[in-house]
Amino acid sequence: MDALLGTGPRRARGCLGAAGPRSSGRAARTPAAPWARFSAWLECVCVVTFDLELGQALELVYPNDFRLTDKEKSSICYLSFPDSHSGCLGDTQFSFRMRQCGGQRSPWHADDRHYNSRAPVALQREPAHYFGYVYFRQVKDRSVKRGYFQKSLVLVSRLPFVRLFQALLSLIAPEYFDKLAPCLEAVCSEIDQWPAPAPGQTLNLPVMGVVVQNLLPAPMVLASVHELDLFRCFRPVLTHVQTLWELVLLGEPLLVLAPSPDVSSEMVLALTSCLQPLRFCCDFRPYFTIHDSEFKEFTTRTQAPPNVVLGVTNPFFIKTLQHWPHILRVGEPKMSGDLPKQVKLKKPSRLKTLDTKPGLYTAYTAHLHRDKALLKRLLKGVQKKRPSDVQSALLRRHLLELTQSFIIPLEHYMASLMPLQKSITPWKTPPQIRPFSQDDFLRSLEHAGPQLTCILKGDWLGLYRRFFKSPHFDGWYRQRHKEMALKLEALHLEAICEANIETWMKDKSEVEVVDLVLKLREKLVRAQGHQLPVKEATLQRAQLYIETVIGSLPKDLQAVLCPP
């Protein structure tokens, strides 16, 4: 999905509400209600400021009918400010991800199934987490007791549109910090006029003005709403991209220690995007602090580290999470044209509590050999000053092809477990999908493995064996099995609709006929709810069959099955 953002004057509508104490839950909004279109993009907008007595405090939540729980408010406050170790002066943009604590509240949750069914994995709405997109400003201000103006503007959404919302913040945050409430009021009103997100379409999204062709200022064109500058994110770790890809693929616990929230959040989001088009099924936190409500859950030593990619800036985490198997320490980003010094692979025993040098601290040995040709191409691009977006495209394509080469054999084997269509008969329960045998799959790799589409050598079998134990295999298998079961049910419905119903009914009892009506109705309801992949003609024929069957029954049974 592409986006077009424009700027210019626009009349404000609506009003802003202060952030007072609220209980969990949101006032009901139907798609025609006020702020319904706004809710398709954002849950709310928050302003977090620094209070001398309270520390970080929630100054504003808008729209004012959006209700956050106390735990959510606390999380937003702490996650919206860099910690004291970052020393961020000026303007900083970063993002975080937090668990919802009050259940599903937005009316757009009801639309999730329809939207997510059309959206690629990377664009789907989060069912149980919020993303926070932050624009933080810290500048000297003598009029403030502490000597600094410190404030964050935060967009809270369930959509992973990091590029779109960062671009939006870069337009509205500077204006807001100068003009405060009236500016924010106008922007929220404009977002409430936007069309709903539509995967695969280019949308015009006016903000602080209407996008009008041939008039200045020119619109901001985004080729993608979610893709980061992958090359810039991975510049210090290019020599270890494949090792990191394997760690992410296997759902290994990975701590990213960065000098600032922007570096931390971008590195974590870049890592989690490595598996596309495979769904990332583990937890991830682009920016995490010691004040987070899940701090104890993530740092406990009484059980194995959780399957999470955790982005932090506080060196305290090195001491707290020394038992984690993989820690990536990255330094300050170098903006020069040359490739920065690459982090080294180091043993976890060399990890120091303080003053830890950049490096990937792990005892893990990669299963696949490094792609030296890719590194040469990227290095040549640096020398020739090739644009970063072109370098990113090369890197993204490499990771995509690597993931596809790994997944295609699994897809082919899974497809072979589907019963043959000729074995599906109308009046019998459809045959079961055969169970997934890891040994059978591994044997199939000899003639249908990743070597057919990937030139990389290595221990592919060992990588698959470890993958079978990961959350990503479980997530992939459950999704594919669900899709195949629905397809099987759809084929069964089609077989029924192609059969001669009247011939079948001749020697059947009333109980069997009524049972058929109930089962056909259930299938029809599921199909009409877009859960079964069937054609409209099949649905119409199924409805006609139901009417034919009911018409053959005695009047008393007809009255029961079709009450007035």
Side-chain angles (χ1 to χ4, degrees):
M1 181 165 59
D2 307 334
L4 202 62
L5 294 174
T7 60
R10 176 103 175 196
R11 184 168 62 89
R13 301 193 324 278
C15 58
L16 290 171
R22 304 184 193 279
S23 60
S24 171
R26 178 203 275 273
R29 292 186 199 159
T30 63
W35 304 112
R37 288 190 173 189
F38 176 93
S39 296
W41 295 91
L42 296 171
E43 300 294 309
C44 64
V45 178
C46 298
V47 177
V48 181
T49 191
F50 191 88
D51 185 283
L52 270 178
E53 296 179 359
L54 302 175
Q56 286 100 307
L58 201 57
E59 183 179 284
L60 185 77
V61 177
Y62 190 69
N64 54 14
D65 69 336
F66 191 85
R67 295 165 188 168
L68 295 161
T69 65
D70 289 340
K71 187 180 282 189
E72 288 169 342
K73 288 178 186 178
S74 176
S75 293
I76 289 172
C77 284
Y78 283 117
L79 291 170
S80 297
F81 268 45
D83 64 35
S84 57
H85 298 273
S86 301
C88 298
L89 278 174
D91 292 357
T92 306
Q93 282 191 257
F94 59 95
S95 57
F96 62 82
R97 181 174 178 265
M98 58 179 258
R99 191 178 292 168
Q100 289 182 35
C101 303
Q104 300 180 348
R105 301 192 291 277
S106 168
W108 287 94
H109 278 278
D111 183 58
D112 281 1
R113 182 183 293 164
H114 179 60
Y115 169 80
N116 286 349
S117 67
R118 296 178 298 128
V121 166
L123 298 181
Q124 290 178 4
R125 278 197 185 100
E126 284 271 3
H129 290 82
Y130 289 139
F131 286 103
Y133 302 98
V134 183
Y135 194 107
F136 170 73
R137 173 170 289 184
Q138 179 172 260
V139 292
K140 288 184 177 180
D141 187 344
R142 292 180 180 178
S143 66
V144 181
K145 283 186 179 180
R146 295 182 81 240
Y148 285 93
F149 172 93
Q150 294 174 303
K151 193 166 287 201
S152 287
L153 182 61
V154 188
L155 306 181
V156 179
S157 176
R158 292 189 299 113
L159 292 167
F161 296 174
V162 59
R163 194 165 172 185
L164 171 68
F165 291 129
Q166 283 185 348
L168 181 60
L169 281 167
S170 69
L171 291 173
I172 66 175
E175 285 286 311
Y176 168 73
F177 290 135
D178 289 339
K179 299 174 183 176
L180 300 179
C183 168
L184 196 57
E185 176 184 324
V187 168
C188 290
S189 295
E190 285 184 304
I191 294 173
D192 194 40
Q193 302 302 311
W194 286 5
Q201 294 186 22
T202 297
L203 302 179
N204 284 349
L205 307 176
V207 60
M208 298 168 69
V210 181
V211 178
V212 181
Q213 194 173 8
N214 298 326
L215 289 182
L216 295 176
M220 178 186 292
V221 179
L222 300 177
S224 162
V225 294
H226 70 291
E227 289 180 345
L228 294 166
D229 186 337
L230 205 60
F231 178 72
R232 180 170 58 81
C233 296
F234 282 154
R235 275 172 68 95
V237 296
L238 285 175
T239 53
H240 305 300
V241 159
Q242 278 180 213
T243 299
L244 290 167
W245 175 83
E246 287 189 25
L247 292 176
V248 174
L249 176 73
L250 300 175
E252 288 286 309
L254 176 60
L255 177 70
V256 176
L257 177 60
S260 59
D262 53 323
V263 177
S264 159
S265 59
E266 289 209 336
M267 179 62 81
V268 170
L269 292 175
L271 287 167
T272 58
S273 73
C274 282
L275 300 187
Q276 293 173 17
L278 187 66
R279 180 189 297 278
F280 187 82
C281 296
C282 299
D283 200 352
F284 64 99
R285 304 303 167 93
Y287 175 53
F288 190 80
T289 76
I290 59 174
H291 302 288
D292 198 285
S293 60
E294 293 152 86
F295 175 76
K296 288 183 180 178
E297 178 185 329
F298 285 167
T299 57
T300 180
R301 289 176 182 250
T302 59
Q303 56 192 37
N307 304 103
V308 61
V309 182
L310 200 64
V312 303
T313 59
N314 190 336
F316 171 78
F317 279 99
I318 289 184
K319 181 179 180 181
T320 310
L321 300 180
Q322 271 185 323
H323 61 295
W324 277 38
H326 321 287
I327 296 177
L328 175 61
R329 175 74 160 100
V330 291
E332 291 286 352
K334 300 273 194 309
M335 301 311 293
S336 62
D338 296 332
L339 197 67
K341 186 178 180 181
Q342 297 292 287
V343 303
K344 294 181 179 179
L345 207 61
K346 302 182 180 184
K347 293 181 179 179
S349 58
R350 296 185 62 188
L351 197 66
K352 297 177 183 177
T353 304
L354 296 173
D355 196 31
T356 295
K357 293 181 179 179
L360 177 55
Y361 294 83
T362 179
Y364 179 83
T365 302
H367 289 78
L368 305 182
H369 300 165
R370 186 182 297 171
D371 190 337
K372 294 180 180 178
L374 171 72
L375 291 172
K376 284 182 181 178
R377 287 183 71 188
L378 293 172
L379 185 58
K380 193 172 183 179
V382 171
Q383 293 167 347
K384 290 189 171 184
K385 296 183 169 29
R386 186 185 292 150
S388 187
D389 58 342
V390 179
Q391 295 277 76
S392 287
L394 286 172
L395 188 54
R396 185 171 285 108
R397 181 173 178 177
H398 167 77
L399 292 169
L400 174 68
E401 290 176 350
L402 185 59
T403 304
Q404 287 178 326
S405 293
F406 184 83
I407 292 297
I408 285 171
L410 286 162
E411 297 281 3
H412 284 169
Y413 175 74
M414 193 71 184
S416 73
L417 304 179
M418 184 79 167
L420 295 175
Q421 190 163 350
K422 65 181 181 181
S423 68
I424 301 169
T425 57
W427 315 121
K428 290 183 180 179
T429 302
Q432 295 291 306
I433 299 166
R434 294 193 300 280
F436 190 105
S437 168
Q438 295 181 12
D439 291 337
D440 286 351
F441 167 74
L442 292 174
R443 280 192 289 270
S444 75
L445 295 178
E446 187 176 348
H447 56 83
Q451 71 275 7
L452 298 179
T453 54
C454 184
I455 61 171
L456 291 184
K457 305 295 183 183
D459 183 14
W460 285 97
L461 264 68
L463 188 59
Y464 280 113
R465 286 193 182 98
R466 287 194 65 163
F467 178 70
F468 290 144
K469 301 173 185 176
S470 77
H472 291 121
F473 172 72
D474 183 65
W476 171 84
Y477 176 75
R478 286 174 183 271
Q479 180 62 27
R480 286 294 176 268
H481 194 277
K482 178 183 175 182
E483 290 170 0
M484 288 168 66
L486 291 174
K487 179 63 176 175
L488 201 56
E489 196 175 342
L491 290 172
H492 188 229
L493 179 61
E494 287 174 6
I496 292 172
C497 291
E498 289 170 6
N500 189 320
I501 193 82
E502 293 175 349
T503 302
W504 177 84
M505 288 191 301
K506 283 181 181 177
D507 59 346
K508 297 298 181 291
S509 66
E510 289 180 358
V511 172
E512 289 174 299
V513 173
V514 169
D515 185 56
L516 175 65
V517 170
L518 297 176
K519 285 181 178 177
L520 271 177
R521 274 186 173 168
E522 183 184 346
K523 287 181 182 290
L524 199 58
V525 168
R526 284 165 61 77
Q528 288 171 336
H530 303 288
Q531 294 182 45
L532 294 185
V534 293
K535 298 175 182 176
E536 184 62 31
T538 303
L539 298 181
Q540 292 174 1
R541 191 156 187 177
Q543 183 62 50
L544 184 63
Y545 271 23
I546 290 170
E547 293 170 4
T548 300
V549 172
I550 291 175
S552 70
L553 293 169
K555 296 292 183 183
D556 58 336
L557 276 177
Q558 290 186 33
V560 172
L561 293 170
C562 298

